[in-house]
Amino acid sequence: MKLLIPFSKKYRLTFKGFAINKICPTNGALRTVGWIVLLFSLHCCFPAYAQYRLAWQDMDSLNRTLQTGKSIRLRKFEGTLPNGKKIAAYLAVINLKNKRLRIETIPAAAGKGLLLTSELARQFNSLVAINGGYFTFKPDTARNGLSSVSLLVHRGQLLTGHVLPVFRKDSTGVNRALYPTRSAVGFAGNRANFAWTFTDSSGNTWAYNKPNPFTVKPLQQNPPTRFFPAVPYKWQAPEIMGGGPMLVWEGKIFITDSEEWFTQIANANPRTAVGLDRKGRLLLLVIDGRQPGYSEGATFTELAEIFMGLNARYAVNLDGGGSSTMVVKGKIINRPSDKTGERKVASILAISN
């Protein structure tokens, strides 16, 4: 198995010299009780998440074609997760300190159409590209004819805010209007920022450091304000790509699919996501799925655990399923899950020089 299970093994030795052994040096029963109390406390304080440290393999031939030295490193993993699930994953590690590299959130057809990820990547001469945020298959009937339904800012221009409100039925079957703050990643020069966002009626995008909470009884989620769910800042990054849910926040797994109303897609699926590691490197990740015997896809939890194994400080999920595609110099390197092949999308996240 090309996988290390870090959480239990990594921290097993941490408590070797714990004071319980000193408090109860001779009474084995008391020591046992002490360890039970300690383990119960740890279980309550820390979620039962692991760090999936996959055995990534460098894709040397592709790395050479990029001619960026070590500024972009492409890696691949084919193997199994601890539950025996097969996955195939593709990773691009981007050194943001290289100021020759540009990061762009590129819309299809000026935001009013759908194009293949590979087609958009070739149009903009991208080195590496992945599909972007969520979209509608029928942009002609969408609001203002826009294809994206996720926040999308390109070269300083707001093309679409997150489409709000969303409607969900409460326990009595009544549709309720809900106002989630959807997660996004933004780029300004060589800096990447992550936040939960809300676009107001004036077209201002506000960024929050916590998601908008909700209640079940009654089913309610109030519109965000300039003071709720936290004091936000006006996000004026020239490139912003929305998606959701957030997966990792400040170095810890923090999956906000409930707050963002994405629980319906939390099961194993093909995935596209973007993260930032502790060295400040951008992580572009695509996981194939819905292909038994090759790759089954990942849940939100498994996706977050993979990012934790990459030492991510932040990570956010983008559109997945048949949209999940990674393109290197105009060529698809993963296996999109649709039987008809690559799916048309509303936007891509692209790296070029």
Side-chain angles (χ1 to χ4, degrees), residues 252-306:
K252 298 178 181 179
I253 290 179
F254 187 39
I255 303 171
T256 55
D257 57 332
S258 295
E259 295 86 344
E260 299 186 52
W261 298 99
F262 284 127
T263 54
Q264 73 276 14
I265 57 172
N267 293 330
N269 285 290
R271 298 290 181 190
T272 300
V274 56
L276 188 74
D277 73 9
R278 294 181 180 275
K279 294 182 179 180
R281 299 177 301 184
L282 191 67
L283 307 172
L284 306 183
L285 178 63
V286 168
I287 298 177
D288 286 335
R290 302 175 185 167
Q291 300 173 66
Y294 163 64
S295 185
E296 298 177 47
T299 65
F300 285 153
T301 299
E302 291 163 345
L303 187 58
E305 290 166 339
I306 290 170

Side-chain angles (χ1 to χ4, degrees), residues 6-7 10-11 47 49-54 247-254 276-278 283 285 301-315:
F7 190 85
K10 180 177 180 181
Y11 296 105
Y49 293 126
Q51 298 179 22
Y52 287 174
R53 295 189 180 276
L54 308 184
L247 302 165
V248 177
W249 180 257
E250 294 184 344
K252 298 178 181 179
I253 290 179
F254 187 39
L276 188 74
D277 73 9
R278 294 181 180 275
L283 307 172
L285 178 63
T301 299
E302 291 163 345
L303 187 58
E305 290 166 339
I306 290 170
F307 271 112
M308 290 297 289
L310 293 168
N311 295 314
R313 279 188 51 78
Y314 302 94

Side-chain angles (χ1 to χ4, degrees), residues 173-203:
V174 176
N175 261 343
R176 301 293 183 183
L178 305 167
Y179 297 85
T181 46
R182 292 272 168 87
S183 47
V185 56
F187 303 95
N190 63 346
R191 292 180 290 111
N193 291 311
F194 293 72
W196 290 271
T197 64
F198 178 75
T199 304
D200 65 23
S201 58
S202 299

Side-chain angles (χ1 to χ4, degrees), residues 29-173:
L30 286 177
R31 282 204 304 272
T32 300
V33 171
W35 279 112
I36 291 173
V37 171
L38 171 63
L39 293 174
F40 178 78
S41 300
L42 289 173
H43 176 75
C44 293
C45 295
F46 296 96
Y49 293 126
Q51 298 179 22
Y52 287 174
R53 295 189 180 276
L54 308 184
W56 295 98
Q57 302 294 319
D58 285 327
M59 304 178 74
D60 292 327
S61 59
L62 283 177
N63 287 327
R64 285 192 292 269
T65 65
L66 293 175
Q67 297 181 340
T68 61
K70 294 184 179 180
S71 293
I72 301 177
R73 302 300 295 172
L74 299 169
R75 312 183 78 187
K76 181 180 179 180
F77 170 81
E78 284 193 47
T80 57
L81 298 181
N83 57 9
K85 178 189 294 183
K86 283 192 173 184
I87 69 161
Y90 298 80
L91 174 69
V93 182
I94 317 295
N95 182 359
L96 296 180
K97 294 180 180 179
N98 185 342
K99 296 183 178 180
R100 293 176 56 190
L101 297 179
R102 297 197 322 274
I103 307 169
E104 288 191 286
T105 58
I106 298 172
K112 295 188 176 183
L114 302 174
L115 290 172
L116 300 174
T117 298
S118 58
E119 186 176 1
L120 274 168
R122 285 191 292 268
Q123 283 184 9
F124 284 81
N125 199 28
S126 303
L127 296 174
V128 180
I130 57 174
N131 63 289
Y134 298 99
F135 61 92
T136 174
F137 285 106
K138 298 179 179 180
D140 292 341
T141 62
R143 185 183 62 178
N144 300 323
L146 297 170
S147 53
S148 175
V149 296
S150 290
L151 175 62
L152 184 60
V153 176
H154 173 59
R155 296 181 180 177
Q157 179 183 359
L158 174 67
L159 296 179
T160 58
H162 285 301
V163 176
L164 296 175
V166 299
F167 293 88
R168 296 291 185 272
K169 291 183 178 180
D170 65 14
S171 58
T172 65

